[in-house]
């Protein structure tokens, strides 16, 4: 707690008033009296200009992730430089994270919109007389990638202008929570005594004329915050249309876009729970979901989540009320070897995606036993998965995977 500045007490002052005493000309010093716990001490601090980064980025599983903290005077240039570097890495798609971004410079937001749509209207501004002004930037677009924008209740002002424009033009979808709803224009008027009066003099609207102020932008798909990044990566994990094998893909359609999900990625421990939340949220919110069928997509409203992890697997009857020390015996139609089977058998915790270590033993020419190396948890459901490609001794192979659900007794 800062108690006083150069002997001036700060008690009762708001943040703006206190900062007038703390901030000053670069190179000068100020003495702060600070209370930390029960200790009270003074420290001399030299003033210096601080430049806070407005853009952070990384590439995650071939997807570009950009966190924009605010719309500063050069954020559009930083954003463009980051995009150029990412494009050199052949990213599949882009996630722009605007959570907690309270806005900034209007011109910066307009310039960043043009990176995606070129010299089109980025935002419509209306003044007190009702006159409409269409704001845009003349630069040409530089990117054509599947894009997702992450939002929350603190995404405001310039952030909403950027997100709203990209959605209106169909180049991005919004994931997360409804934005703040700060769509007003403030102007400053200097009074005769030197004070300044701030007044609302206009309002922002998206290019399609959708109101922002007091309403915010509702996401195309609402998701809890802890799942957002992984869900975004899954949605951008690839284009099934360009894949020869359709069996490991499902698609989700929301907003004005269809996103293809690589099931091999969705089944990994890292993404298992996010994928479950993504599918359940999409079903609950009326998004369209598809499985691959032949050379196209087939819409599905299947509610059993395991069918979205393994939509093309044959399913055998559920094993109900098994013991925590359960051992599984698998019978094949042709002689097989345990060494061939063990690398293509998985026992998976259905809630977390955790793989349970198992040993595989030969019982007979056509039977193997799968023995978990730890007791299973009471009341938990597990998936026993037999992957396609298991080869019999005569060279024949299992053409389709098999799934068995196993529920442990309470």
């Amino acid at each position: 707690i800062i108690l006083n500045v150069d002997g001036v007490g700060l008690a009762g002052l708001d943040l703006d008033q206190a900062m007038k005493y703390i901030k000053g000309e670069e190179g000068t010093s100020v003495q702060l009296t600070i209370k930390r716990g029960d200790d009270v001490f003074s420290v001399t601090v030299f003033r210096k200009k601080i430049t806070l980064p407005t853009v952070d980025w990384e590439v995650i599983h071939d997807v570009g992730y950009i966190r924009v903290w605010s719309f500063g005077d050069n954020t559009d240039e930083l954003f463009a430089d980051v995009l150029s570097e990412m494009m050199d890495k052949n990213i599949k798609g882009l996630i722009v994270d605007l959570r907690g971004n309270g806005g900034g410079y209007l011109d910066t937001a307009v310039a960043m919109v043009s990176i995606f749509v070129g010299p089109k209207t980025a935002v419509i501004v209306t003044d007190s007389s009702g006159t409409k002004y269409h704001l845009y930037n003349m630069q040409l677009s530089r990117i054509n990638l599947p894009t997702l924008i992450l939002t929350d209740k603190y995404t405001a002002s310039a952030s909403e202008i950027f997100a709203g424009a990209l959605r209106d033009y169909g180049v991005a979808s919004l994931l997360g929570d409804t934005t703040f709803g700060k769509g007003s224009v403030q102007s400053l008027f200097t009074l005769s005594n030197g004070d300044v009066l701030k007044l609302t003099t206009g309002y922002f609207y998206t290019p399609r004329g959708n109101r922002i102020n007091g309403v915010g932008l509702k996401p195309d798909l609402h998701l809890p915050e802890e799942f957002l990044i992984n869900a975004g990566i899954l949605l951008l994990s690839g284009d099934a249309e360009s894949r020869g094998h359709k069996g490991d893909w499902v698609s989700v359609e929301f907003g004005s876009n269809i996103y293809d999900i690589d099931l091999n990625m969705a089944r990994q421990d890292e993404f298992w729970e996010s994928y479950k939340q993504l599918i359940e949220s999409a079903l609950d919110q009326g998004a369209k979901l598809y499985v691959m069928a032949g050379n196209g997509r087939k819409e599905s409203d299947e509610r059993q989540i395991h069918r979205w992890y393994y939509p093309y697997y044959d399913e055998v009857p559920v094993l109900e009320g098994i013991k925590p020390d359960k051992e599984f015996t698998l019978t094949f139609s042709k002689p097989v070897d345990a060494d061939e089977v063990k690398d293509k058998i998985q026992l998976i915790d259905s809630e977390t995606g955790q793989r349970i270590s198992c040993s595989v033993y030969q019982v007979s020419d056509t039977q193997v036993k799968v023995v978990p190396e730890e007791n299973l948890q009471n009341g938990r459901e597990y998936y026993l998965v037999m992957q396609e490609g298991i080869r019999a001794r005569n060279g024949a192979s299992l053409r389709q995977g098999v799934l068995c659900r196993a529920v442990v007794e309470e």
Side-chain angles (χ1 to χ4, degrees):
I1 300 173
I2 302 177
L3 300 178
N4 63 63
V5 180
D6 285 337
V8 177
L10 302 184
L13 301 184
D14 63 25
L15 180 60
D16 288 339
Q17 293 171 322
M19 290 302 293
K20 291 178 181 178
Y21 292 102
I22 297 174
K23 295 169 69 173
E25 184 179 349
E26 185 171 11
T28 61
S29 65
V30 61
Q31 188 178 64
L32 307 180
T33 301
I34 297 172
K35 180 178 181 181
R36 180 179 297 155
D38 293 328
D39 296 332
V40 177
F41 59 94
S42 295
V43 60
T44 298
V45 179
F46 286 89
R47 297 182 174 106
K48 185 177 180 181
K49 183 178 180 180
I50 298 174
T51 302
L52 298 176
T54 58
V55 177
D56 289 328
W57 69 279
E58 61 181 310
V59 175
I60 312 173
H61 295 284
D62 297 325
V63 172
Y65 171 81
I66 304 180
R67 186 74 181 257
V68 182
W69 295 100
S70 64
F71 286 76
D73 57 0
N74 67 337
T75 302
D76 55 320
E77 298 172 4
L78 297 173
F79 190 84
D81 290 343
V82 166
L83 281 177
S84 178
E85 191 165 347
M86 283 184 168
M87 296 293 282
D88 290 341
K89 298 180 183 293
N90 297 316
I91 56 175
K92 295 179 179 179
L94 181 67
I95 296 173
V96 181
D97 194 342
L98 298 181
R99 290 175 296 169
N101 186 326
Y105 289 106
L106 173 61
D107 289 347
T108 300
V110 172
M112 287 174 59
V113 170
S114 70
I115 293 174
F116 292 84
V117 304
K120 297 179 181 179
T121 297
V123 62
I124 300 171
V125 182
T126 61
D127 63 18
S128 57
S129 67
T131 303
K132 294 182 179 180
Y133 302 90
H134 291 247
L135 305 185
Y136 58 92
N137 186 290
M138 288 302 296
Q139 71 174 324
L140 299 177
S141 58
R142 296 183 239 175
I143 184 171
N144 182 22
L145 280 173
T147 301
L148 294 168
I149 298 176
L150 308 186
T151 62
D152 65 7
K153 63 182 179 181
Y154 302 111
T155 302
S157 192
S159 294
E160 293 172 293
I161 290 170
F162 175 81
L166 264 57
R167 177 163 67 178
D168 274 10
Y169 289 115
V171 300
S173 299
L174 275 55
L175 293 183
D177 209 346
T178 301
T179 62
F180 184 83
K182 169 66 168 64
S184 58
V185 182
Q186 271 82 46
S187 299
L188 300 179
F189 300 90
T190 303
L191 304 181
S192 59
N193 65 354
D195 288 347
V196 174
L197 178 66
K198 179 190 286 188
L199 291 178
T200 297
T201 56
Y203 291 97
F204 296 127
Y205 294 83
T206 71
R208 288 186 177 178
N210 297 314
R211 182 183 177 92
I212 294 174
N213 198 61
V215 179
L217 303 173
K218 184 179 180 181
D220 296 301
L221 190 64
H222 173 77
L223 284 173
E225 185 171 1
E226 63 268 29
F227 301 111
L228 279 177
I229 295 178
N230 276 354
I233 292 170
L234 286 173
L235 290 166
L236 299 172
S237 58
D239 181 5
E241 294 301 324
S242 65
R243 304 287 172 154
H245 177 48
K246 304 296 185 182
D248 289 326
W249 298 84
V250 300
S251 299
V252 183
E253 181 179 2
F254 56 90
S256 58
N257 298 287
I258 296 179
Y259 300 92
D260 297 307
I261 299 174
D262 182 352
L263 286 178
N264 291 317
M265 177 178 285
R267 294 170 187 150
Q268 296 174 16
D269 289 7
E270 179 182 357
F271 295 99
W272 187 277
E273 292 177 275
S274 296
Y275 178 67
K276 179 181 178 181
Q277 182 66 53
L278 173 60
I279 294 297
E280 290 178 343
S281 296
L283 288 168
D284 290 342
Q285 296 170 45
K288 293 182 179 180
L289 286 91
Y290 304 87
V291 295
M292 298 304 164
N295 293 322
R297 295 182 173 98
K298 177 182 177 182
E299 189 172 352
S300 174
D301 59 358
E302 173 65 65
R303 301 298 302 192
Q304 298 188 81
I305 191 64
H306 68 279
R307 297 308 307 165
W308 289 104
Y309 283 104
Y310 299 97
Y312 307 98
Y313 279 51
D314 284 333
E315 188 174 352
V316 300
V318 181
L319 300 178
E320 299 277 5
I322 65 174
K323 300 291 184 182
D325 59 355
K326 171 71 176 177
E327 298 178 357
F328 302 88
T329 300
L330 311 183
T331 302
F332 296 86
S333 60
K334 294 180 174 61
V336 296
D337 292 319
D339 286 344
E340 165 67 21
V341 172
K342 67 181 182 180
D343 292 332
K344 295 182 174 64
I345 297 289
Q346 292 182 323
L347 185 62
I348 304 172
D349 186 320
S350 68
E351 287 295 317
T352 65
Q354 178 188 0
R355 272 56 176 174
I356 309 302
S357 297
C358 296
S359 300
V360 179
Y361 301 99
Q362 196 83 40
V363 176
S364 68
D365 282 348
T366 58
Q367 288 186 325
V368 296
K369 180 172 287 189
V370 178
V371 181
E373 295 180 2
E374 59 185 74
N375 280 352
L376 306 180
Q377 295 186 42
N378 292 94
R380 191 66 68 92
E381 180 177 303
Y382 295 82
Y383 299 156
L384 182 64
V385 179
M386 289 148 274
Q387 299 173 352
E388 61 185 33
I390 295 176
R391 302 187 69 83
R393 290 175 185 170
N394 67 359
S397 62
L398 187 66
R399 293 186 177 181
Q400 191 165 5
V402 179
L403 173 70
C404 177
R405 298 162 61 201
V407 182
V408 184
E409 65 183 6
E410 294 286 350

